[in-house]
């Protein structure tokens, strides 16, 4: 048995631990409701932060910081309820059934009782009030971290959210156009001036109906101008390709037509409200005819063409051209320049065996491209595309048409005329079966 | 036995002697171990007892057995409605001596060590109140002259909870003078068998003497020297204070709480129990054990709650569960654990 003083020290130490144990639970009783509320807020905060693409470090440290502050507040709230060492001693003697022997020994009336052979917890634990908020908090956090969110698009950074959104967009466009040298600086200055005129109104009038309408009109007008420019740039790019193809016959009718079209396109780009950048215009002018275009250094051609395409795409995206419209535009531009593809100015020459390299959505039906790599056996009239589309209301059966190369379709003769053009698919099938 | 200092040895000796007393009484009264132990506590604490129970349960037998085994002078008064105060305290009698007539005080039955006041609630309040001074101050004043009662002096009163017609319930002041109010319950089947085997109608059982009155008085003096730790004092104070209306959750049913005399009685009872167990210090457990007997008859429960079935016993059980020995409360996630 340890000496009396040592026994006293051990008992007092046990009493201190007992008090601390109870105090820990007091603190948790105060802290856990705050912790649960904090986790609820944090879960919402995490979702928001993930949407806004905040750095993870910021999220984690904010969470920890808040939790620590709340822990300190809970400590302050629980402090006055804390058990002292004396309370711990009383709890121990109650637990061990010592009939106040420890209290009497502490007051020097009797000797310290011997230490128990086995230690046991002087409390019964009720885990419900502790486990519930902790598990609820964990679930909230997990939900906050794992729930799928739409991340905010940070491409157009709104620098000054206090001004109308149309102004913000115009400002962003001007910046972008300036940065990439897409249009003439004079035009941009004009646009800036108009924007400044709007800004010069008193701030309290910025959001009036008339001011907002003026801003929206300016934006819509600019957008339309940019769309036209984008269209012309795409057109010019496509014509450059065609000119390069017919460069071997510079004096042909087709080459002349292309030269004229290209010049017209350049003029449109130069004289529009949003004229193309002067430097690029000069370069384009140098390629102004088929002869020049075919004779130019391929690398230089590529450079000019690349810049034109790049700027064209940029302007198209800025002007919010619908991708389908853009695709259609490109397709039409490309097709119009191809010989054998219709149009009053189409030139002579064999039609290519394929309309397009990829499936197109320009027309309402589904147009699938087919190709024939065996050019030796190809001839005019070969099938170049199969179209499967919804039937018109006057048509019977499924509208399944076969597109032939332009100008090579034959109506047939005699009975052929009937089954080729006037019979429905069922009638045609019946007729074919009969003749077989 | 040294009656001036209390050591662990003297406490052990006292405990041994008291266990002998308990054993002697248990030889006569079967199945009443707890009641007998509580009566011994009352004797040690110098308090008076009020026994309540149906007729024939052995209340009077209990008192008579104690008086015989302790070799104390015992007197019995059967309280009736026509009993007068002088019938208890004594009366001045006119005597003629040497040609002179003088009043000579004739001592009443109260001048004894152990007074059995049988069916105390049948006497008129005037007669009941004649016992007040005797019980509290252990003296009697008749015609301006005060007479001290013998030491030790105990009043063991009985009352019947039925047949209440023509009875006078004890006033609160009178009840407060009793240290304990004990309920005597019916015997179990096994106890009845023992009684049938051991006793014959009309034959008085032979009671073994286990202790003298002087011995009891010495042990009783030792009781006052039992140490009351701070925690026990604090617990008694908080427990009694919690009986005041709205001072605790349990006390919502209380109209009037226990008096300071109850706190003093509780401390004495706790000391007595510690000595009975051979300890020189009282404990919280001693207080808990004595509390129902000390507080039960000193509180008044609201009429409505009484009608709803709240009893003093149920109230005190709730109170003990509510008041912790340590002043600090425990959080909801913890509750006190006790090794059995």
């Amino acid at each position: 048995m340890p000496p009396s003083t040592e026994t006293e020290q051990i008992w007092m130490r046990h009493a201190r631990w007992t008090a601390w144990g109870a105090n820990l639970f007091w603190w948790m009783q105060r802290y856990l409701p705050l912790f649960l509320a904090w986790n609820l807020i944090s879960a919402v905060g995490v979702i928001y932060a993930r949407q806004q693409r905040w750095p993870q470090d910021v999220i984690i440290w904010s969470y920890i910081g808040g939790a620590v502050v709340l822990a300190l507040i809970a400590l302050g709230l629980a402090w006055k309820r804390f058990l002292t060492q004396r309370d711990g001693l009383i709890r121990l003697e109650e637990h061990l059934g010592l009939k106040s022997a420890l209290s009497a020994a502490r007051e020097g009336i009797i000797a310290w009782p011997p230490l128990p052979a086995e230690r046991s917890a002087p409390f019964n634990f009720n885990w419900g009030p502790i486990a519930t908020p902790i598990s609820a908090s964990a679930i909230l956090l997990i939900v906050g971290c794992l729930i799928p969110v739409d991340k905010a698009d940070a491409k157009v950074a709104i620098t000054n959210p206090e001004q109308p959104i149309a102004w913000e967009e115009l400002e962003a466009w001007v910046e972008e156009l300036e940065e990439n040298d897409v249009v003439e600086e004079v035009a941009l200055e004009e646009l800036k001036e108009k924007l400044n005129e709007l800004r010069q109104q008193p701030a309290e009038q910025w959001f009036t109906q008339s001011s907002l309408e003026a801003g929206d009109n300016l934006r819509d007008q600019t957008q339309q101008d940019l769309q036209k420019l984008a269209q012309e740039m795409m057109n010019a790019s496509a014509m450059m390709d065609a000119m390069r193809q017919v460069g071997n016959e510079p004096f042909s009718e087709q080459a002349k037509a292309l030269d004229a079209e290209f010049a017209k396109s350049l003029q449109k780009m130069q004289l529009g409200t949003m004229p193309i950048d002067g430097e690029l215009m000069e370069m384009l002018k140098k390629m102004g005819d088929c002869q020049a275009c075919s004779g130019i250094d391929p690398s230089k051609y590529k450079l000019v063409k690349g810049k034109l395409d790049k700027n064209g795409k940029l302007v198209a995206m800025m002007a919010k051209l619908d991708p389908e419209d853009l695709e259609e535009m490109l397709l039409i531009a490309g097709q119009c320049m191809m010989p054998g593809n219709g149009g009053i100015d189409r030139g002579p020459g064999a039609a290519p065996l394929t309309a397009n390299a990829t499936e197109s959505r320009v027309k309402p039906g589904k147009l699938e491209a087919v190709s024939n790599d065996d050019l030796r056996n190809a001839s005019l009239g070969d099938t170049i595309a199969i179209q499967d589309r919804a039937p018109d209301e006057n048509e019977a059966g499924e509208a399944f048409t076969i597109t032939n190369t332009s100008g090579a379709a034959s109506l047939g003769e005699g009975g052929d005329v009937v089954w080729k053009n006037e019979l429905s698919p069922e009638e045609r099938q019946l007729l074919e079966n009969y003749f077989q | 036995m040294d009656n001036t200092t209390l050591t662990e040895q003297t406490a052990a000796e006292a405990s041994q002697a008291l266990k002998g007393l308990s054993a002697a009484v248990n030889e006569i009264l079967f199945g009443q171990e707890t009641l007998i132990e509580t009566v011994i506590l009352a004797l040690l604490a110098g308090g008076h007892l009020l026994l309540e129970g149906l007729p024939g349960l052995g209340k009077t037998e209990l008192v008579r057995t104690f008086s015989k085994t302790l070799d104390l002078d015992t007197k019995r008064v059967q309280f009736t409605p026509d009993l007068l105060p002088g019938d208890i305290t004594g009366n001045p009698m006119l005597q003629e001596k040497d040609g002179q007539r003088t009043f000579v005080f004739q001592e009443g039955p109260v001048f004894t060590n152990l007074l059995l006041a049988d069916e105390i609630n049948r006497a008129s309040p005037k007669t009941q109140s004649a016992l007040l001074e005797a019980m509290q101050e252990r003296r009697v004043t008749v015609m301006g002259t005060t007479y001290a009662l013998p030491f030790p002096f105990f009043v063991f009163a009985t009352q019947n909870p039925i047949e209440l017609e023509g009875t006078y319930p004890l006033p609160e002041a009178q009840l407060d003078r009793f240290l304990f109010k004990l309920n005597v319950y019916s015997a179990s089947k096994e106890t009845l068998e023992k009684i049938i085997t051991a006793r014959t109608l009309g034959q008085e059982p032979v009671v073994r003497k286990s202790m003298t009155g002087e011995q009891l008085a010495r042990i009783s003096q030792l009781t006052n020297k039992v140490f009351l730790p701070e925690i026990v004092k604090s617990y008694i104070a908080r427990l009694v204070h919690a009986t005041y209306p709205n001072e605790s959750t349990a006390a919502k049913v209380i109209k009037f709480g226990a008096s300071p005399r109850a706190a003093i009685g509780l401390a004495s009872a706790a000391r007595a129990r510690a000595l009975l167990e051979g300890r020189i210090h009282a404990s919280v457990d001693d207080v808990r054990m004595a509390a129902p007997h000390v507080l039960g008859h000193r509180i008044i429960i609201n009429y409505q709650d009484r009608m709803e079935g709240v009893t003093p016993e149920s109230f005190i059980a709730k109170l003990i569960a509510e008041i912790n020995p340590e002043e600090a409360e425990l959080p909801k996630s913890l509750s006190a654990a006790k090794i059995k």
Side-chain angles (χ1 to χ4, degrees):
Chain A
M1 183 191 281
S4 185
T5 49
E6 196 181 326
T7 311
E8 179 184 354
Q9 282 172 3
I10 295 170
W11 274 120
M12 295 307 276
R13 195 163 58 234
H14 286 186
R16 197 163 52 240
W17 289 345
T18 303
W20 283 356
N23 295 345
L24 174 68
F25 280 82
W26 263 123
W27 172 76
M28 283 202 284
Q29 186 168 313
R30 291 280 179 268
Y31 179 57
L32 288 177
L34 299 176
F35 184 62
L36 181 60
W38 174 240
N39 278 296
L40 183 63
I41 295 165
S42 298
V44 176
V46 164
I47 292 169
Y48 178 75
R50 285 172 58 214
Q51 275 181 335
Q52 298 302 316
R53 298 166 189 263
W54 287 7
Q56 271 193 354
D57 287 357
V58 173
I59 301 170
I60 291 168
W61 284 111
S62 307
Y63 175 75
I64 293 172
V68 169
V69 169
L70 290 177
L72 292 174
I73 291 170
L75 189 66
L77 291 173
W79 193 266
K80 55 190 169 189
R81 296 276 194 173
F82 276 5
L83 273 67
T84 60
Q85 193 179 30
R86 176 174 168 267
D87 296 325
L89 206 64
I90 295 165
R91 179 95 305 278
L92 271 182
E93 66 190 10
E94 277 285 300
H95 169 61
L96 298 169
L98 293 176
K99 295 184 186 287
S100 305
L102 296 177
S103 296
R106 189 165 171 265
E107 292 180 44
I109 302 304
I110 57 168
W112 285 92
L115 294 160
E118 284 180 19
R119 290 194 63 189
S120 57
F123 304 110
N124 286 324
F125 300 95
N126 178 15
W127 292 109
I130 295 168
T132 309
I134 290 175
S135 32
S137 299
I139 291 167
L140 281 172
L141 270 190
I142 290 168
V143 167
C145 292
L146 298 183
I147 198 168
V149 291
D150 286 335
K151 292 187 177 169
D153 197 353
K155 273 181 187 170
V156 180
I158 306 295
T159 51
N160 183 3
E162 289 172 5
Q163 58 182 347
I165 197 77
W167 301 5
E168 291 289 341
E169 280 183 57
L170 282 166
E171 219 171 46
W173 288 346
V174 170
E175 241 176 69
E176 193 86 8
L177 292 170
E178 261 181 343
E179 226 174 77
N180 293 288
D181 295 330
V182 182
V183 295
E184 272 294 311
E185 206 162 321
V186 186
L188 288 178
E189 287 302 323
E190 265 179 43
L191 188 58
K192 274 190 205 171
E193 210 173 299
K194 284 176 187 170
L195 197 56
N196 282 337
E197 272 175 28
L198 289 173
R199 278 218 184 92
Q200 275 163 9
Q201 315 174 79
E204 57 271 19
Q205 288 181 13
W206 283 7
F207 290 90
T208 56
Q209 178 71 23
S210 56
S211 168
L212 288 173
E213 259 182 30
D216 287 350
N217 282 339
L218 182 60
R219 182 197 52 197
D220 293 346
Q221 186 57 50
T222 312
Q223 190 176 350
Q224 281 174 16
D225 292 342
L226 288 172
Q227 281 176 354
K228 276 182 195 164
L229 180 64
Q231 208 167 345
E232 282 308 323
M233 286 167 96
M234 298 288 175
N235 208 10
S237 171
M239 276 191 283
M240 278 175 73
D241 284 339
M243 283 160 69
R244 194 149 175 86
Q245 276 185 19
V246 298
N248 296 334
E249 297 169 16
F251 302 108
S252 64
E253 284 299 314
Q254 192 187 355
K256 280 179 190 170
L258 278 172
D259 288 349
E261 278 294 323
F262 189 66
K264 214 188 278 176
S265 182
L266 289 185
Q267 200 177 5
K268 279 182 187 171
M269 282 194 280
Q270 199 173 15
L271 299 176
T273 323
M274 283 283 170
I276 196 169
D277 178 53
E279 198 182 330
L280 182 61
M281 178 54 78
E282 284 307 311
M283 289 160 83
L284 286 170
K285 275 182 181 170
K286 282 180 189 168
M287 302 182 184
D289 55 60
C290 293
Q291 199 176 5
C293 198
S294 60
I296 210 155
D297 179 27
S299 62
K300 201 169 181 183
Y301 171 80
K302 256 187 191 174
L303 180 77
V304 176
K305 174 86 167 49
K307 191 168 182 185
L308 185 65
D309 286 345
K310 185 188 144 209
N311 287 356
K313 276 178 191 165
L314 180 72
V315 175
M317 279 179 70
M318 280 168 59
K320 294 174 187 169
L321 267 179
D322 185 12
E324 285 193 11
D325 292 346
L326 188 63
E327 196 178 341
E328 184 182 10
M329 214 166 68
L330 286 169
L331 182 73
I332 291 166
Q335 282 176 341
C336 286
M337 298 308 117
M338 289 296 183
N341 272 304
I344 54 164
D345 296 330
R346 70 186 170 90
L353 296 176
T354 175
N356 292 291
T358 54
E359 178 195 336
S360 167
R361 282 174 288 169
V362 173
K363 290 175 183 174
K366 184 178 170 188
L367 186 64
E368 284 180 40
V370 291
S371 64
N372 185 356
D373 293 333
D374 188 5
L375 296 174
R376 290 170 302 173
N377 296 325
S379 62
L380 281 173
D382 274 0
T383 298
I384 58 163
I386 298 167
Q387 188 177 27
D388 186 7
R389 61 185 169 82
D392 294 338
E393 52 186 22
N394 297 325
E395 267 181 335
E398 192 181 12
F400 181 83
T401 58
I402 297 173
T403 306
N404 291 335
T405 46
S406 182
S410 167
L411 294 176
E413 290 178 353
D416 278 1
V417 176
V418 175
W419 72 262
K420 277 189 180 176
N421 289 336
E422 293 177 15
L423 299 181
S424 68
E426 289 81 9
E427 289 168 339
R428 193 171 61 205
Q429 186 67 36
L430 191 68
L431 207 59
E432 278 175 354
N433 289 341
Y434 176 79
F435 284 109
Q436 278 170 2
Chain B
M1 191 190 298
D2 184 3
N3 63 357
T4 54
T5 55
L6 178 67
T7 61
E8 287 182 4
Q9 193 189 343
T10 51
E13 285 170 10
S15 171
Q16 198 62 37
L18 292 168
K19 278 173 185 159
L21 171 66
S22 176
V25 180
N26 274 308
E27 284 170 13
I28 307 300
L29 292 163
F30 302 113
Q32 303 281 14
E33 290 81 4
T34 313
L35 180 69
I36 291 164
E37 189 183 302
T38 317
V39 173
I40 294 172
L41 293 184
L43 292 171
L44 291 177
H48 309 289
L49 270 181
L50 177 62
L51 295 160
E52 189 173 273
L54 297 171
L57 291 182
K59 299 188 290 290
T60 312
E61 189 67 32
L62 175 79
V63 180
R64 285 174 60 194
T65 309
F66 265 102
S67 72
K68 284 178 185 170
T69 191
L70 286 169
D71 197 19
L72 292 172
D73 180 48
T74 306
K75 291 206 173 90
R76 179 184 175 202
V77 179
Q78 181 65 47
F79 279 54
T80 53
D82 57 353
L83 194 73
L84 295 172
D87 297 337
I88 295 169
T89 57
N91 286 307
M93 306 288 286
L94 193 61
Q95 272 191 357
E96 189 173 345
K97 196 176 180 185
D98 303 331
Q100 282 192 329
R101 287 180 180 175
T102 53
F103 278 105
V104 177
F105 180 65
Q106 183 68 43
E107 290 179 350
V110 79
F111 286 86
T112 185
N113 293 121
L114 189 53
L115 174 70
L116 173 59
D118 225 354
E119 297 196 86
I120 193 170
N121 56 340
R122 294 205 175 276
S124 65
K126 188 180 175 184
T127 311
Q128 287 173 0
S129 65
L131 271 176
L132 277 176
E133 188 187 9
M135 288 171 76
Q136 180 62 33
E137 297 169 33
R138 296 171 199 279
R139 66 185 186 184
V140 170
T141 305
V142 179
M143 290 191 69
T145 310
T146 301
Y147 304 95
L149 296 177
F151 179 81
F153 172 72
F154 302 105
V155 174
F156 283 13
T158 69
Q159 67 177 8
N160 189 344
I162 57 167
E163 298 172 350
L164 296 176
E165 280 178 40
T167 61
Y168 303 93
L170 292 175
E172 301 307 321
Q174 180 83 42
L175 278 175
D176 203 26
R177 261 67 178 182
F178 288 101
L179 176 63
F180 292 160
K181 180 186 173 192
L182 304 174
N183 291 311
V184 184
Y185 298 106
S186 306
S188 65
K189 194 172 69 180
E190 292 75 21
T191 308
L192 283 172
E193 279 180 14
K194 274 189 192 174
I195 293 169
I196 293 162
T197 312
R199 304 286 290 272
T200 311
L201 194 67
Q203 246 186 348
E204 283 293 313
V206 180
V207 181
R208 175 169 61 87
K209 283 191 171 54
S210 65
M211 195 184 278
T212 63
E214 289 76 33
Q215 275 179 313
L216 180 68
R218 275 205 301 275
I219 294 175
S220 183
Q221 283 172 350
L222 281 179
T223 306
N224 296 331
K225 291 174 184 170
V226 171
F227 180 72
L228 216 55
E230 285 299 319
I231 170 65
V232 179
K233 287 181 204 166
S234 155
Y235 184 63
I236 291 171
R238 283 187 289 124
L239 202 63
V240 173
H241 189 259
T243 63
Y244 298 164
N246 299 319
E247 287 298 334
S248 61
T249 312
K252 282 178 183 165
V253 299
I254 292 295
K255 191 174 177 188
F256 296 109
S259 63
R261 193 182 279 126
I264 298 167
L266 203 49
S268 297
R271 282 191 173 110
R273 188 164 184 270
L275 193 65
L276 186 64
E277 291 194 350
R279 281 183 278 117
I280 61 167
H281 63 87
S283 76
V284 170
D285 284 342
D286 299 328
V287 179
R288 284 192 188 123
M289 181 266 155
H293 310 309
V294 176
L295 300 176
H297 58 290
R298 289 181 159 103
I299 51 158
I300 298 176
I301 296 170
N302 290 326
Y303 178 76
Q304 191 180 341
D305 294 304
R306 214 164 54 229
M307 290 300 104
E308 285 173 4
V310 178
T311 60
E313 290 77 20
S314 66
F315 161 71
I316 289 162
K318 270 188 189 173
L319 195 67
I320 288 172
E322 186 182 332
I323 308 296
N324 281 328
E326 59 268 47
E327 286 179 49
E329 277 180 61
L330 288 179
K332 282 179 192 167
S333 45
L334 293 181
S335 58
K338 198 162 188 174
I339 292 178
K340 289 183 180 171

